Amino acid sequence: MTSAEEPPVFDDAPLADPAEVRRAMEYYAERGWTDGLPVVPVTESFLAEFLATTDRDPHEVLIPMPHLNKNLTVRLAAINAALAGCLPEYFPVVVAAWDSFLKDGMVTRAIWQSTTGTAGFVVVNGPVRQRIGLNCRGNVWGSGFRANATIGRAIRLGAINGLGLRPHVFDQATQGTPAKYSCCIGENEEDSPWSSLAADNGIGPDDSAVSATVIRSVLHIEARHTTVPEQLAVDFADSLCRTGALVRARASGYVVLNPEHARLLDKAGWTKQDLRQAIVERGFRTYRQLAGAGKEAIAAGTGWRLPADHPDAIEQTLPEDPDSPVQLINSVEAIQIVVAGAPNAGVSSIVETFGPFDRAPAITKVGGAK
Amino acid sequence: MADGIVLERAGIPAVSLCTDAFRITAEAMANQLGFPGYQYVALPHPIASRTEKEIDEIARDALPEVMRVLGAGLTIRPVD
């Protein structure tokens, strides 16, 4: 006897030999074709269901990686989406995500081999969210939603199996981030007072779109205390400009606003553009603060931050007042705003990216079958 | 490693340098590009946080091995 509340109800499960299921799981694990978690076995007939959801040629290259002698094709992307536990109808979103990563340009510059250890980050807009049950409300960064969990995982498995980026070998991440397992959210367009990220970038209301880039971390912003837009802007700007995140001259990121914060801003007459501008205006550290962390100068060649007395530092004139501001966010394009989460508390987040610093995000449309 | 291999493929003797923390990746890259056993020079890790003097010492210590690898001629036959 089992109660409806108990999760594993084995007696009601479809008949299968558990030993065979485990054997299939172990087969994939032993070959290193997983992210550490069990994967779904993929047969040609199951793969065909994925390929039938798109008009793209299975041999089309989505991500070329010539220096590794690797190409991520549509077929490889589909195999890895199936391994990840996607349903076939999720696959057009996975393809659009890879298109977006190509357009974004960081993945093809081999950023996933870097010690920084970035994860793929995928934002989904439009009607596909409802069709596939992609969560954009409460627990949006958390677990519990198959579409979010497996679309994000399809990207990581595609990197491991399609591009050969295995940890300790070609993935040289020093620590990585938990987001490397999966990081896919929908925008909560229904609870947002503003137009969506996709609409702001020219996508019509009947189309679905994906915006993907690479991220280093997701920071929690606790701001339940205020109804003053400027105070919220301080929290966001301060978090984006933390010295610990600074490797390059400038800072950039997504602000993932919960609907309560978005409505608060809207009620005060602020547009999305107003918030971006307010963050730019507060997007600085003083020279003294940067020097305190040894990040007041820029290296010739790499453009990375380092101390002014480092032999690689580009010569600079010391400011007369060490408390004068050094601008770290120079453009509203460095700040993207997405509304997601439940409208139940003043809790938002910052997603730390590697740009874009001065252009629109890489948005691509979700396609479909012929 | 990839750069060194690309240069040698073009007929230009080259030596790839990396720190010993990246040996596994360096050798995987040589294998991936079809040249297992490609000779390179591993330097002590780390580089980024060393002083200029320490870097000079590392370079001086590595120089004989760098010259040996370079003097060994092309590891890879250039493409005709």
Side-chain angles (χ1 to χ4, degrees):
Chain A
M1 267 295 271
T2 55
S3 77
E5 287 76 31
E6 287 177 2
V9 191
F10 182 72
D11 289 349
D12 292 346
L15 280 178
D17 179 350
E20 282 299 316
V21 173
R22 279 200 301 276
R23 233 189 318 276
M25 278 167 43
E26 293 306 326
Y27 178 87
Y28 286 91
E30 282 163 12
R31 280 155 185 77
W33 293 341
T34 81
D35 52 6
L37 294 167
V39 292
V40 174
V42 186
T43 56
E44 281 291 343
S45 60
F46 188 39
L47 176 61
E49 292 183 41
F50 283 77
L51 294 173
T53 65
T54 177
D55 59 2
R56 309 281 284 268
D57 185 317
H59 301 297
E60 181 186 339
V61 174
L62 294 170
I63 301 283
M65 207 66 96
H67 69 282
L68 292 178
N69 265 343
K70 293 281 186 183
N71 284 316
L72 181 84
T73 59
V74 170
R75 181 183 158 88
L76 274 171
I79 292 169
N80 285 287
L83 286 171
C86 286
L87 291 173
E89 55 263 40
Y90 303 172
F91 188 53
V93 179
V94 175
V95 172
W98 283 121
D99 287 341
S100 180
F101 280 117
L102 181 69
K103 195 172 169 185
D104 181 61
M106 293 301 291
V107 169
T108 41
R109 282 167 56 195
I111 192 70
W112 281 345
Q113 287 176 252
S114 159
T115 48
T116 303
T118 54
F121 171 48
V122 175
V123 182
V124 182
N125 280 111
V128 75
R129 293 166 305 130
Q130 283 86 3
R131 283 207 301 276
I132 65 173
L134 191 99
N135 186 33
C136 51
R137 297 191 167 85
N139 204 37
V140 73
W141 292 116
S143 55
F145 299 89
R146 183 173 181 177
N148 303 62
T150 61
I151 290 170
R153 192 185 187 205
I155 300 303
R156 176 52 40 196
L157 290 177
I160 293 171
N161 297 319
L163 299 173
L165 299 174
R166 293 200 161 70
H168 297 188
V169 188
F170 286 134
D171 178 344
Q172 302 165 93
T174 306
Q175 295 193 323
T177 156
K180 285 176 85 169
Y181 279 101
S182 179
C183 193
C184 171
I185 66 170
E187 178 159 23
N188 188 346
E189 299 173 23
E190 291 68 26
D191 287 326
S192 170
W194 299 320
S195 56
S196 72
L197 179 72
D200 291 346
N201 287 281
I203 305 288
D206 298 331
D207 284 320
S208 296
V210 171
S211 171
T213 190
V214 300
I215 65 167
R216 298 180 290 166
S217 36
V218 178
L219 299 182
H220 182 86
I221 305 293
E222 192 72 44
R224 308 165 192 251
H225 63 295
T226 185
T227 54
V228 181
E230 288 82 357
Q231 291 177 352
L232 275 181
V234 168
D235 265 353
F236 298 141
D238 178 67
S239 302
L240 280 159
C241 294
R242 69 187 180 93
T243 60
L246 286 176
V247 59
R248 296 184 180 167
R250 290 183 281 170
S252 67
Y254 275 72
V255 178
V256 179
L257 277 181
N258 85 87
E260 195 171 296
H261 278 158
R263 287 171 185 168
L264 181 162
L265 293 161
D266 179 58
K267 204 173 155 192
W270 280 38
T271 62
K272 221 191 263 191
Q273 196 67 5
D274 291 333
L275 176 61
R276 294 169 94 191
Q277 190 57 46
I279 293 171
V280 171
E281 285 162 15
R282 293 158 181 79
F284 62 85
R285 281 284 185 272
T286 65
Y287 185 87
R288 191 195 300 276
Q289 286 170 327
L290 291 174
K295 291 185 175 179
E296 71 277 26
I298 307 295
T302 63
W304 288 14
R305 287 199 165 271
L306 37 59
D309 60 0
H310 193 284
D312 291 347
I314 297 169
E315 263 190 60
Q316 55 181 355
T317 322
L318 280 180
E320 278 178 28
D321 176 6
D323 290 316
S324 59
V326 177
Q327 198 67 29
L328 299 173
I329 304 174
N330 298 65
S331 157
V332 292
E333 303 274 53
I335 311 297
Q336 303 302 332
I337 294 173
V338 172
V339 176
N344 63 6
V347 168
S348 288
S349 41
I350 293 290
V351 182
E352 293 178 328
T353 62
F354 270 140
F357 298 103
D358 50 12
R359 62 166 170 81
I363 293 201
T364 52
K365 272 192 203 175
V366 176
K370 271 177 200 149
Chain B
M1 289 295 279
D3 292 342
I5 288 170
V6 166
L7 284 167
E8 290 226 8
R9 262 181 180 158
I12 301 164
V15 56
S16 295
L17 306 174
C18 71
T19 67
D20 48 24
F22 295 98
R23 270 183 178 278
I24 293 173
T25 308
E27 283 158 30
M29 181 61 95
N31 282 328
Q32 189 68 19
L33 295 182
F35 301 103
Y38 178 71
Q39 292 192 49
Y40 67 100
V41 176
L43 308 173
H45 196 79
I47 291 290
S49 54
R50 303 258 188 194
T51 64
E52 199 169 10
K53 187 168 167 284
E54 287 171 330
I55 294 288
D56 284 348
E57 281 165 11
I58 288 173
R60 197 165 39 244
D61 291 348
L63 196 59
E65 183 62 1
V66 169
M67 294 310 288
R68 188 193 68 75
V69 174
L70 273 179
L74 294 183
T75 314
I76 299 162
R77 259 172 66 91
V79 179
D80 292 331

